[in-house]
Amino acid sequence: SSGINAECPLRPGAAVDNKRQLKIKTGVVKRLNKELDMYKKEVVDGEIKLGKMKEDGKDEYDIKKFIECIDESKAMVPDTRRRLTKAVEDLDILLENDDLSGEAEFKAAKEIRDLISI
């Protein structure tokens, strides 16, 4: 029920609720973007290490287990991208509210949003 009231301009706490939501959504977007970058890096680094393991003639079992680790990271990329896309959409909705455009939280959210392309 607080989501409905947060939209009401007559309610004194609406701006505070929107500022808080903006700060939360900005944090979610930052975290998920960082997470997505980390998984992508894990995949790239893992494939480089895998090539080295094969070159060095490491044990087949170790190679197989390492491939499983890389595959887990690969599987996380689309899921994290999907969650990031949803979080960015939520942030975009909050950024449509110009009432907060003078606030530091709005400026921070806008900066983060401008950095992320989906």
Side-chain angles (χ1 to χ4, degrees):
S1 72
S2 66
I4 294 168
N5 291 335
E7 305 294 319
C8 179
L10 301 175
R11 195 172 136 246
V16 173
D17 289 347
N18 286 340
K19 269 174 62 170
R20 187 168 171 269
Q21 282 302 309
L22 201 54
K23 194 171 185 175
I24 290 168
K25 297 291 183 192
T26 301
V28 170
V29 168
K30 281 170 64 173
R31 180 180 52 79
L32 288 171
N33 191 52
K34 189 184 258 185
E35 205 173 294
L36 181 62
D37 288 344
M38 183 202 61
Y39 284 125
K40 287 179 180 177
K41 184 177 177 347
E42 271 183 22
V43 170
V44 171
D45 292 351
E47 287 176 345
I48 291 168
K49 185 175 176 182
L50 179 62
K52 180 130 176 65
M53 287 174 78
K54 288 179 177 179
E55 260 179 42
D56 294 346
K58 295 289 183 191
D59 183 64
E60 281 299 315
Y61 178 80
D62 291 340
I63 290 173
K64 182 180 168 212
K65 284 294 174 192
F66 197 72
I67 289 171
E68 288 175 13
C69 289
I70 295 171
D71 288 346
E72 284 178 23
S73 292
K74 281 182 185 177
M76 291 305 296
V77 170
D79 176 61
T80 305
R81 185 176 287 123
R82 179 189 53 73
R83 290 185 294 136
L84 177 60
T85 300
K86 172 73 174 107
V88 166
E89 288 169 359
D90 291 347
L91 184 60
D92 284 345
I93 290 168
L94 287 171
L95 288 172
E96 288 172 8
N97 181 353
D98 286 342
D99 296 348
L100 297 174
S101 61
E103 300 290 339
E105 291 84 356
F106 186 92
K107 291 174 184 158
K110 192 85 176 100
E111 278 179 28
I112 294 300
R113 178 58 186 101
D114 291 345
L115 293 174
I116 295 173
S117 60
I118 295 188

